[in-house]
């Protein structure tokens, strides 16, 4: 599952969302690139360069990530960032390996697996550039489906970091996983003791894919958690609001380092 490693230092594992690959998270390098953390980007099974191994559902994918991290890092302390479906997986990993997890960050995480059970805002576009969409070619329909800020800069980021993963995904494998999209038990219920490492949970006010209400509902489980809902932000909010997302991630990293990172032992629970 290891797609790319960048930098040196404490491990930071990054887990992408459903239907894309690790490239969707590479824009976070603007926030992480000068920090003493070794970024380990995963490709989940359906990704173009993923394992392509059959998976019975989300639980099997999540357990596979746990195994990959154990094999790669042993008992070394590490932190996690998860995006969308990868946020659900990251929460499972963080609770399963709680004693060695230094911190957890999620971007537009899935907190309620079944789409029909989610509390979602109505579809809203804050800025639309008709000329851009008229001129755009590949990926424009996928972009329009999710983008809240339909600008040239956001479309360029989508074209470089999101669309290639969508194109390369194994659709049959995704359908197999989508049929059993939920974990056996939500991590916060499977491990009811509060997660006390520093955490960050960023949501988009206009994210009509995963929403923000369901994540906000578990805030008491994360006593060291920053929960923030960004206006003018949808499901790819790190492309739409990059400066603010970068600032929040750097603040989280600083809290992780103070709490126990940068060479200190974990001992977080």
């Amino acid at each position: 599952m290891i797609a790319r490693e960048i930098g040196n230092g404490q491990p930071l594992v990054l887990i992408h969302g459903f239907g894309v690959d690790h490239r969707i998270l590479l824009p976070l390098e603007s926030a992480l690139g000068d920090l003493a953390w070794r970024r380990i980007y995963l490709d989940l099974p359906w990704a173009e360069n993923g394992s392509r191994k059959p998976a019975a559902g989300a639980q099997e994918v999540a357990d596979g990530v746990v195994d990959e991290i154990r094999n790669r890092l042993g008992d070394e302390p590490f932190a996690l960032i998860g995006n969308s479906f990868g946020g659900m997986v990251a929460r499972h990993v963080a609770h399963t390996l709680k004693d060695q997890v230094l911190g957890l960050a999620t971007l537009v995480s899935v907190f309620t697996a079944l789409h029909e059970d989610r509390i979602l805002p109505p579809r809203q576009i804050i800025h639309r550039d008709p000329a851009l969409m008229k001129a755009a070619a590949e990926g424009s329909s996928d972009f329009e489906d999710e983008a809240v800020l339909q600008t040239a800069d956001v479309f360029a980021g989508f074209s470089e970091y999101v669309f290639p993963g969508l194109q390369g995904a194994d659709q049959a494998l995704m359908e197999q996983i989508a049929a059993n999209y939920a974990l056996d038990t939500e991590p916060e219920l499977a491990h009811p003791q509060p997660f006390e490492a520093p955490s960050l949970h960023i949501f988009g006010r206009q994210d009509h894919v995963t929403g923000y209400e369901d994540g906000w509902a578990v805030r008491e489980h994360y006593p060291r958690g920053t929960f923030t809902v960004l206006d003018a932000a949808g499901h790819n909010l790190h492309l739409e609001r990059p400066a603010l997302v970068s600032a929040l991630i750097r603040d989280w990293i600083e809290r992780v380092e103070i709490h126990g990172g940068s060479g200190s032992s974990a001992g977080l629970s």
Side-chain angles (χ1 to χ4, degrees):
M1 288 186 183
I2 306 299
R4 187 178 304 197
E5 289 195 28
I6 304 175
N8 299 290
Q10 200 93 55
L12 173 60
V13 178
L14 297 98
I15 309 172
H16 63 80
F18 198 67
V20 292
D21 63 19
H22 77 278
R23 286 172 285 189
I24 195 173
L25 292 176
L26 289 177
L28 299 184
E29 284 294 311
S30 63
L32 301 169
D34 63 339
L35 302 177
W37 288 80
R38 183 169 90 253
R39 283 88 67 198
I40 302 172
Y41 290 87
L42 303 188
D43 265 346
L44 297 180
W46 59 78
E48 185 174 8
N49 295 312
S51 66
R52 301 287 174 136
K53 292 180 180 178
Q59 187 65 55
E60 189 169 324
V61 173
D63 290 340
V65 172
V66 170
D67 291 342
E68 183 79 10
I69 291 172
R70 280 175 168 155
N71 291 337
R72 189 75 171 201
L73 300 180
D75 59 1
E76 185 177 2
F78 66 97
L80 282 160
I81 297 178
N83 169 236
S84 191
F85 176 89
M88 179 173 70
V89 173
R91 286 165 35 238
H92 171 75
V93 174
H95 286 77
T96 302
L97 302 179
K98 191 174 182 180
D99 288 344
Q100 69 188 94
V101 173
L102 298 166
L104 167 68
T106 68
L107 308 179
V108 297
S109 177
V110 170
F111 278 88
T112 297
L114 297 181
H115 192 273
E116 59 267 28
D117 292 338
R118 298 173 187 171
I119 303 172
L120 301 173
R123 177 72 173 118
Q124 184 179 5
I125 298 171
I126 301 299
H127 178 83
R128 185 195 303 269
D129 183 345
L132 169 68
M133 289 298 96
K134 186 176 181 180
E138 278 194 323
S140 59
S141 61
D142 294 296
F143 177 73
E144 284 190 277
D145 286 344
E146 291 190 358
V148 168
L149 297 181
Q150 296 182 0
T151 67
D153 286 346
V154 179
F155 183 68
F158 180 89
S159 298
E160 181 175 358
Y161 298 111
V162 182
F163 188 62
L166 293 174
Q167 279 190 307
D170 183 330
Q171 296 299 321
L173 181 52
M174 285 172 53
E175 289 176 10
Q176 184 177 357
I177 296 168
N180 194 7
Y181 192 83
L183 299 176
D184 292 346
T185 308
E186 290 298 323
E188 295 82 8
L189 296 177
H191 306 268
Q193 183 179 355
F195 184 86
E196 296 179 349
S199 67
L200 170 66
H201 308 278
I202 310 177
F203 308 93
R205 184 67 177 83
Q206 289 80 28
D207 180 3
H208 68 294
V209 178
T210 55
Y212 57 89
E213 298 279 8
D214 297 323
W216 178 251
V218 302
R219 62 193 181 277
E220 297 304 325
H221 184 79
Y222 297 91
R224 292 290 316 281
T226 292
F227 284 70
T228 184
V229 181
L230 306 185
D231 181 39
H235 198 59
N236 288 321
L237 53 72
H238 64 300
L239 301 180
E240 295 174 326
R241 305 299 305 278
L244 188 48
V245 170
S246 291
L248 289 165
I249 287 177
R250 289 183 73 95
D251 171 79
W252 167 69
I253 288 287
E254 182 178 342
R255 291 187 288 120
V256 169
E257 291 176 345
I258 291 171
H259 186 80
S262 296
S264 300
S265 60
L268 299 177
S269 60

